[in-house]
Amino acid sequence: MARPFHHPSAKDLTVDSLLYALSDPVRRGIVVKLMGCDGMSCNKACDDLPPSTVSFHHKILRDAGLIRSEKRGVEVINTVRKADIDKRFPGLLDAVLRHHKPGK
């Protein structure tokens, strides 16, 4: 049986963990892709990276509270926790992602 995913509560989100997770351009790219949809499988987030690397980046984003992961059959569907982040740190996510340059 697979272990359930750990998601920090909205009150436990910290600006340090969010900024650390968003400091990597690959992770920012994942968040940008997820913001443009209602949920995305880990497999579709980064076609050009090995699955173990994609899994690592998703874990960092999940532990920081940026994404919520839900197992659906054999896939893991990820969504951005934008409402939780905006409630705790209004405008932070939009400000950081506004300056993200795809492919970097």
Side-chain angles (χ1 to χ4, degrees):
M1 181 179 208
R3 289 181 284 160
F5 294 111
H6 168 73
H7 299 97
S9 69
K11 67 178 178 54
D12 291 332
L13 299 179
T14 67
V15 72
D16 291 333
S17 64
L18 294 173
L19 291 176
Y20 168 75
L22 291 169
S23 69
D24 185 278
V26 171
R27 290 192 291 266
R28 280 194 311 273
I30 291 169
V31 172
V32 167
K33 284 182 183 179
L34 290 174
M35 297 262 298
C37 64
D38 287 334
M40 181 182 294
S41 168
C42 291
N43 301 335
K44 297 176 185 169
C46 299
D47 296 336
D48 56 338
L49 295 174
S52 60
T53 302
V54 174
S55 181
F56 169 77
H57 285 304
H58 279 87
K59 181 181 181 340
I60 298 291
L61 293 169
R62 188 172 40 254
D63 289 348
L66 278 158
I67 64 171
R68 179 167 305 283
S69 300
E70 179 184 337
K71 188 94 167 149
R72 291 188 194 158
V74 296
E75 290 189 310
V76 176
I77 304 300
N78 298 285
T79 55
V80 177
R81 295 177 60 188
K82 186 162 179 12
D84 290 339
I85 296 164
D86 284 345
K87 184 175 180 182
R88 183 114 166 95
F89 305 106
L92 176 72
L93 192 56
D94 290 329
V96 171
L97 296 180
R98 184 176 323 129
H99 300 285
H100 174 70
K101 293 177 178 27
K104 296 221 173 195

